[in-house]
Amino acid sequence: MTLGSWGAGLLRRLRGGRAPAAADAPPADETPFPWESVYPEGIHWRVHIRPQPLWSILDESVQRYPERPCIDFLGRIFTYAEIGALTQRAAVGLARLGIKRGSRVGLLMPNCPYYVVCYFAALKVGATVVNYNPLYSVTQIVQQMRDSGTELMITTDGQAFYGKVAKGFGESLLEKVVVCSLRKALPFTAGVKYSFLNIRSMSIAPDDGRHFTFEQLTETDGDVSTVEVDPRQDIAVLQYTGGATGLTKAAMLTHANLFCNAVQTEMWSIGTEYGKERILAVLPFSHAFGMSAVMNVGIVLGAELIVLPRFKVEDALATIHRTRPTIFIGVPSMFSAIAAYPDLNRFDLSSLRLCIGGGAPLPARVQKVIESIAPCKLVEGYGLTEAGPIVTANPFKGENRLGSVGLPLPGTVIEILDVKDRKTPVPRGGRGEICVTGPQVIPGYLARPEENEVTLAGGRLHTGDIGYLDAQGYLYVVDRLKKLILTGGFNVYPGVVEEAIRRHAAVRDVQVVAAPHDILGEVVKAIITLQPGADAGAEDIEKFLADKLATFEIPKIFEFADDRTAQGSGQAMSGLAASRSA
């Protein structure tokens, strides 16, 4: 977008109200931060963003771009007006089911139009969305239902989705489930094919007063008064994460956190055009990166979201070839899979103008390949769930420093603190813990006061990552304080996997480590010592772990004390993870 259109967009966000509280603004100290001297032209770092309810981003784009395509779901087009109307009707339906301000509404589904509609409908009635990763095991999902107090779940009719949700009845506070038919969201021919291929794995919601179809939820054309929320206090989304300690917990993302992060990214997006962009939406919306950087920012820009339910490299390439997206936001494993695809020259990627990678280190060789096959700039950024999640990015127009994750977004402060005392800034260029302050930083984790004191000590978000700032304020991430495996964009904590494996009767001891992988960056490797006389193998342990760990947490390599080494089945090569076969 031009500087003028950027200014108009910014004014739309900032007009008509008082300045945010000091906590939402950059420090008053006028001493320039190092990154200000190299900030991209047309973007101001010292900016005040007035928080709004998160649902307002959809309402504004519905008003501005009613006939503009909002979602292309495998060939079926939904305009902004259609998505806005469905959202309003879904909000009425949720209110009639007793959902109100403070209620917890879970979403467990692949990327699809239902996700967008139900996400904003829940926010409109004042509820908190609880994001569920479909790759998690039944045990993990039920635990999160209990922890979050989820009252109503919205899911799709596949057993891989509804089948996990149904286990929550009697095990948590779950009272009602809305089941959405993926077939009905597809074009007619694709819907018939989907039904034929998936007939054995589809679930029919029983007529028992607890289950409702999406059609029943939206059968009214009534109106609902949008619930007043306090953007700085009311929680929009509970996003489960391992956080700095590795224990699963819900990051409380307020309306202000997510609204401000969307606007910060909008400001950063010099070169994009309102109402004209097309974004390949294959990052899961259940993941903080996909939810914010793809869905929320895409809607702010009035972009068309070209939605894919999961990443399969050939499908993604064929979709880019056919639908001509201008923006592709993904994790490095996706770009690595594309760069390694043997028949890449069969696909025309010339529509891509901007590609953004985050979630794990982006290999330089992959960046070069992508930029050589598409007329785009592939920039790397950095973030974490607790920061909405985007913290830094290389400029879209300006210097893209190799190996760096870029400059802080507007209003975001990066400090490098001494690892031991966690208070003292290290000298410029010195290595220490990366700490973040800004309007996108969460107020804390749900019901975890002790962890909040550690993670948010001194009013800063302590990331657990080690890095440094160069003379111009570009951030480099070099190590981790916490034990963590980054596989295909997902965080895996070795202790969690070790605990699950030790529950197997044949296992005496286990150590879980990262193993390098050309596509995924790292995969999980388990080094196992069996009990005397035990004879368990990789397949046996994989089967044991199926209902205890997320698919991406299950080891891909098993090494035993007697030197047996086995490759796992690779079933976790889905969702964010990428491979030629998945």
Side-chain angles (χ1 to χ4, degrees):
M1 72 192 149
T2 65
L3 177 57
S5 63
W6 169 80
L10 177 57
L11 287 174
R12 291 204 310 274
R13 306 296 169 200
L14 307 183
R15 69 187 179 194
R18 59 184 174 79
D24 293 311
D29 183 1
E30 293 302 319
T31 304
F33 287 93
W35 50 81
E36 292 186 77
S37 65
V38 293
Y39 228 55
E41 183 180 356
I43 306 178
H44 301 282
W45 179 79
R46 293 179 183 268
V47 67
H48 298 269
I49 302 171
R50 184 190 178 204
Q52 305 278 342
L54 186 57
W55 47 259
S56 67
I57 66 175
L58 177 63
D59 280 6
E60 182 171 333
S61 287
V62 168
Q63 183 179 5
R64 291 176 62 85
Y65 314 107
E67 302 307 316
R68 162 83 173 152
C70 177
I71 293 174
D72 174 347
F73 185 53
L74 301 177
R76 182 171 176 185
I77 307 297
F78 296 80
T79 66
Y80 271 92
E82 289 172 326
I83 292 296
L86 279 172
T87 299
Q88 185 66 18
R89 286 157 55 189
V92 173
L94 290 174
R96 290 184 174 180
L97 290 178
I99 300 302
K100 55 189 182 298
R101 183 177 181 181
S103 297
R104 306 288 168 80
V105 174
L107 300 183
L108 192 155
M109 61 181 76
N111 285 7
C112 61
Y114 299 119
Y115 183 97
V116 179
V117 168
C118 295
Y119 178 91
F120 286 103
L123 296 177
K124 281 198 163 202
V125 296
T128 295
V129 170
V130 185
N131 253 339
Y132 287 86
N133 187 336
L135 297 180
Y136 277 129
S137 69
V138 172
T139 300
Q140 291 169 316
I141 287 171
V142 172
Q143 287 174 341
Q144 290 174 5
M145 285 187 195
R146 287 198 295 263
D147 183 71
S148 64
T150 296
E151 306 162 38
L152 180 145
M153 286 284 284
I154 305 176
T155 188
T156 56
D157 52 1
Q159 271 298 320
F161 303 96
Y162 171 75
K164 293 179 178 180
V165 169
K167 301 291 186 180
F169 284 119
E171 299 282 333
S172 66
L173 297 179
L174 183 66
E175 297 176 354
K176 300 179 178 73
V177 176
V178 175
V179 182
C180 306
S181 168
L182 277 182
R183 176 184 65 80
K184 294 180 180 179
L186 292 165
F188 177 78
T189 302
V192 172
K193 181 179 179 181
Y194 172 83
S195 296
F196 177 77
L197 294 176
N198 296 279
I199 189 168
R200 293 186 177 181
S201 62
M202 291 169 62
S203 301
I204 299 175
D207 185 13
D208 60 0
R210 302 190 300 182
H211 291 77
F212 305 87
T213 65
F214 181 78
E215 290 70 32
Q216 290 172 324
L217 181 71
T218 57
E219 63 187 356
T220 177
D221 287 326
D223 198 6
V224 63
S225 298
T226 301
V227 174
E228 291 290 329
V229 299
D230 181 340
R232 295 185 182 87
Q233 298 295 325
D234 285 358
I235 307 304
V237 174
L238 291 177
Q239 188 76 36
Y240 277 87
T241 176
T245 64
L247 300 175
T248 302
K249 48 196 169 286
M252 299 187 296
L253 289 158
T254 66
H255 285 260
N257 293 151
L258 293 172
F259 177 87
C260 290
N261 202 226
V263 174
Q264 289 170 312
T265 309
E266 174 196 16
M267 294 175 184
W268 197 253
S269 302
I270 292 290
T272 56
E273 298 184 79
Y274 289 107
K276 295 184 179 180
E277 303 297 340
R278 311 182 80 208
I279 301 177
L280 185 65
V282 67
L283 270 176
F285 296 153
S286 60
H287 190 281
F289 193 17
M291 174 185 66
S292 288
V294 178
M295 185 180 73
N296 289 346
V297 174
I299 287 173
V300 167
L301 293 173
E304 178 180 357
L305 303 179
I306 301 167
V307 174
L308 292 178
R310 62 173 178 165
F311 183 85
K312 295 175 68 175
V313 63
E314 188 164 353
D315 288 350
L317 288 168
T319 300
I320 295 170
H321 180 90
R322 175 178 58 85
T323 63
R324 314 295 292 160
T326 57
I327 299 172
F328 177 19
I329 301 172
V331 292
S333 60
M334 293 178 177
F335 295 111
S336 295
I338 289 173
Y341 192 75
D343 298 319
L344 195 54
N345 58 2
R346 290 197 294 115
F347 302 98
D348 180 3
L349 309 184
S350 63
S351 64
L352 293 174
R353 293 188 291 102
L354 177 63
C355 293
I356 306 169
L362 179 66
R365 58 178 175 77
V366 171
Q367 183 176 358
K368 291 178 181 178
V369 170
I370 297 298
E371 291 183 341
S372 71
I373 61 176
C376 70
K377 191 171 188 177
L378 173 53
V379 303
E380 185 173 7
Y382 169 75
L384 57 165
T385 299
E386 294 86 345
I390 308 169
V391 173
T392 70
N394 274 282
F396 299 161
K397 288 193 174 180
E399 185 179 357
N400 186 4
R401 295 195 177 176
L402 195 63
S404 170
V405 293
L407 303 168
L409 292 189
T412 303
V413 177
I414 302 293
E415 297 176 278
I416 309 297
L417 299 188
D418 181 86
V419 172
K420 293 182 179 179
D421 71 14
R422 308 183 80 224
K423 296 178 182 179
T424 307
V426 302
R428 182 65 46 77
R431 299 186 177 193
E433 184 178 14
I434 301 168
C435 295
V436 182
T437 52
Q440 71 270 52
V441 172
I442 61 169
Y445 301 110
L446 178 69
R448 301 289 195 278
E450 293 181 359
E451 293 184 40
N452 290 339
E453 289 184 10
V454 173
T455 303
L456 298 169
R460 307 175 179 94
L461 172 60
H462 291 255
T463 68
D465 292 319
I466 303 297
Y468 66 93
L469 292 168
D470 69 14
Q472 286 75 42
Y474 279 80
L475 178 64
Y476 295 77
V477 182
V478 297
D479 203 354
R480 311 174 194 130
L481 281 173
K482 52 186 181 287
K483 291 183 178 180
L484 177 66
I485 299 170
L486 292 173
T487 179
F490 287 113
N491 294 351
V492 176
Y493 293 86
V496 173
V497 181
E498 289 170 352
E499 180 183 358
I501 294 175
R502 285 193 182 102
R503 291 161 62 184
H504 193 290
V507 174
R508 185 174 72 185
D509 199 8
V510 60
Q511 181 183 10
V512 169
V513 297
H517 190 278
D518 288 343
I519 302 297
L520 301 179
E522 297 175 332
V523 293
V524 182
K525 176 180 177 179
I527 304 169
I528 296 173
T529 302
L530 296 176
Q531 299 284 4
D535 191 29
E539 290 186 7
D540 177 62
I541 294 175
E542 270 192 300
K543 184 177 180 180
F544 174 78
L545 297 174
D547 64 349
K548 298 173 181 63
L549 295 174
T551 54
F552 57 84
E553 294 176 317
I554 296 175
K556 302 298 163 288
I557 302 172
F558 292 86
E559 183 177 303
F560 294 84
D562 60 1
D563 292 329
R564 289 177 294 158
T565 299
Q567 299 291 327
S569 67
Q571 63 177 332
M573 309 281 262
S574 58
L576 286 187
S579 76
R580 286 192 289 274
S581 62

